[in-house]
Amino acid sequence: MYSEDDLLPISGLQHVLFCERQFALIHLEQAWAENLFTAEGKILHERVDAEGHESRRLFRQEYAMSMRSLEHGLIGKTDLVEFYLKPEGGVAEAVPVEFKRGRDKEEDWDRVQLCAQALCLEEMLGITVARGDFYYFGAHRRTHLEFSAELRAATLTAIQRARAILAGERTPIARYAKAKCDRCSLIDLCMPRWTAGGGKRVSQFIAAELEAGREGCSR
Ligand code: SF4
């Protein structure tokens, strides 16, 4: 069991799957920068978060619900959870729903995030969460996801990988990949072409730059 002070943000699992260096820059070095993609995602989630909640008999929607799992060491917030209630009281089924910009991705980034939310809900509610939904704004429709044994295993692996990077306290070296780096909001901080193979931390780079500046001034 993890303590309250040792919980990993669920969003970090997407970062570690997208790029381990990006994960380390954000969660180890506390670096952050917005770009068009992150700003669009933020606006979209603010819209969703402002929805509040809706109740009908035996059905309830809860937007922006906080969640955590001490067993898996996770903390986060879902866009929406839909609760199907038992007539005699209690929750029969809970379905986490994520709203996303763009369209369904080939990679597991979003699916692992939703599965991590399911792990939290299972611990909080004491029930099995078998499925979740995505609403991709680019496709204007919901898609369904089963939390299969394979997806659960991939989610646990992503958690372990993220924890290993945090424990190692070492930012992985940059590996420039056009498809990822050109859409990464941290590209100016990461400088993948400059740091590739060097493994320097951003803080080391900044310190070196400041030092160079001081030397320049004293000349
Ligand atoms: S710029 Fe590329 S290597 Fe650097 S953090 Fe982003 S995706 Fe990773």
Side-chain angles (χ1 to χ4, degrees):
M1 284 286 181
Y2 290 91
S3 76
E4 296 276 357
D5 299 331
D6 193 22
L7 301 180
L8 182 72
I10 291 175
S11 58
L13 301 181
Q14 283 188 302
H15 300 146
V16 83
L17 290 174
F18 176 73
C19 168
E20 292 192 356
R21 180 169 168 81
Q22 190 202 58
F23 171 83
L25 289 172
I26 295 170
H27 300 275
L28 204 52
E29 303 199 34
Q30 278 75 51
W32 181 247
E34 294 279 4
N35 68 4
L36 179 66
F37 301 117
T38 59
E40 272 182 14
K42 207 167 148 190
I43 290 166
L44 191 153
H45 280 97
E46 281 169 2
R47 254 169 56 198
V48 172
D49 288 354
E51 290 287 329
H53 61 88
E54 199 181 300
S55 291
R56 295 198 302 270
R57 209 180 96 76
L58 303 184
F59 178 74
R60 205 172 91 212
Q61 288 182 315
E62 199 73 50
Y63 284 87
M65 186 180 147
S66 297
M67 57 179 50
R68 65 155 200 204
S69 163
L70 295 181
E71 184 187 343
H72 298 291
L74 296 171
I75 190 163
K77 205 160 86 165
T78 59
D79 287 340
L80 168 65
V81 184
E82 294 184 335
F83 292 98
Y84 295 86
L85 308 174
K86 295 178 189 167
E88 67 273 23
V91 176
E93 189 182 7
V95 180
V97 184
E98 270 294 303
F99 295 81
K100 295 282 180 196
R101 54 182 297 286
R103 292 170 184 276
D104 197 3
K105 300 174 188 67
E106 210 175 289
E107 299 86 355
D108 263 345
W109 311 327
D110 294 345
R111 291 185 278 277
V112 161
Q113 180 195 13
L114 199 61
C115 186
Q117 294 176 2
L119 296 178
C120 292
L121 284 171
E122 288 181 340
E123 184 175 314
M124 290 164 68
L125 301 170
I127 60 172
T128 299
V129 177
R131 66 186 175 103
D133 281 0
F134 287 110
Y135 185 92
Y136 284 99
F137 281 79
H140 298 291
R141 65 182 174 85
R142 270 199 188 202
T143 55
H144 308 296
L145 177 69
E146 302 292 325
F147 298 123
S148 64
E150 291 75 19
L151 181 57
R152 286 171 186 267
T155 305
L156 296 182
T157 301
I159 295 169
Q160 281 168 6
R161 191 62 204 130
R163 289 214 168 263
I165 293 170
L166 292 178
E169 293 191 352
R170 193 164 194 286
T171 300
I173 59 170
R175 296 185 196 287
Y176 179 75
K178 187 172 173 49
K180 285 186 183 180
C181 298
D182 288 1
R183 53 182 295 130
C184 174
S185 69
L186 298 188
I187 189 164
D188 290 338
L189 289 168
C190 169
M191 294 169 288
R193 289 193 178 92
W194 188 86
T195 50
K200 284 193 177 179
R201 293 171 65 123
V202 169
S203 51
Q204 290 173 312
F205 171 76
I206 292 169
E209 287 293 294
L210 288 174
E211 189 57 35
R214 270 198 295 277
E215 280 173 12
C217 289
S218 61
R219 269 181 208 135

